[in-house]
């Protein structure tokens, strides 16, 4: 996927090696990647509201740190975060 395919401030879901990952292009231009599905009720995290630090699940409001994947209010939920970078305008993501 190309970086410009994700509008600034939004996320998109991609599948890498069978894993659904939400990739976010933050307002500062950086990229973040976490599991695409909220562990609470399966909400689509790429559709959530995101700032430069967290994304809020659109279903029930759980907020996940975009760098670590931890739920920021202290709920016993978390998602996995993944290393992501842009190389010559192409998003490179590792899910191993």
């Amino acid at each position: 996927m190309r970086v410009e395919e994700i509008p600034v401030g939004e996320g998109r879901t991609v599948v890498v090696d069978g894993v659904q990952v939400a990739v976010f292009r933050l307002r500062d231009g950086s990229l973040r990647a976490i599991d695409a599905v909220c562990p609470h009720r399966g909400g689509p995290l790429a559709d959530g509201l995101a700032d430069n630090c967290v994304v809020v699940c659109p279903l029930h409001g759980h907020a996940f740190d975009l760098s670590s994947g931890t739920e920021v209010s202290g709920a016993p939920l978390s998602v996995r975060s993944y290393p992501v970078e842009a190389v010559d305008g192409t998003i490179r993501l590792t899910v191993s």
Side-chain angles (χ1 to χ4, degrees):
M1 170 178 261
R2 305 278 306 160
V3 172
E4 63 267 7
E5 292 179 58
I6 304 175
V8 173
E10 294 186 18
R12 293 292 183 267
T13 299
V14 298
V15 178
V16 179
D17 294 334
V19 178
Q20 290 186 46
V21 179
V23 179
F24 296 88
R25 183 177 175 197
L26 305 181
R27 288 175 182 85
D28 67 2
S30 65
L31 299 170
R32 298 287 186 274
I34 60 173
D35 286 331
V37 179
C38 178
H40 175 243
R41 293 277 175 115
L45 292 177
D47 294 341
L49 295 175
D51 63 15
N52 280 345
C53 300
V54 300
V55 61
V56 178
C57 179
L59 294 186
H60 298 100
H62 287 286
F64 297 92
D65 183 291
L66 287 169
S67 294
S68 68
T70 58
E71 206 282 340
V72 298
S73 73
L77 301 170
S78 65
V79 293
R80 192 167 166 205
S81 62
Y82 301 95
V84 60
E85 64 181 338
V87 178
D88 297 326
T90 300
I91 296 172
R92 301 273 171 98
L93 174 62
T94 305
V95 295
S96 58

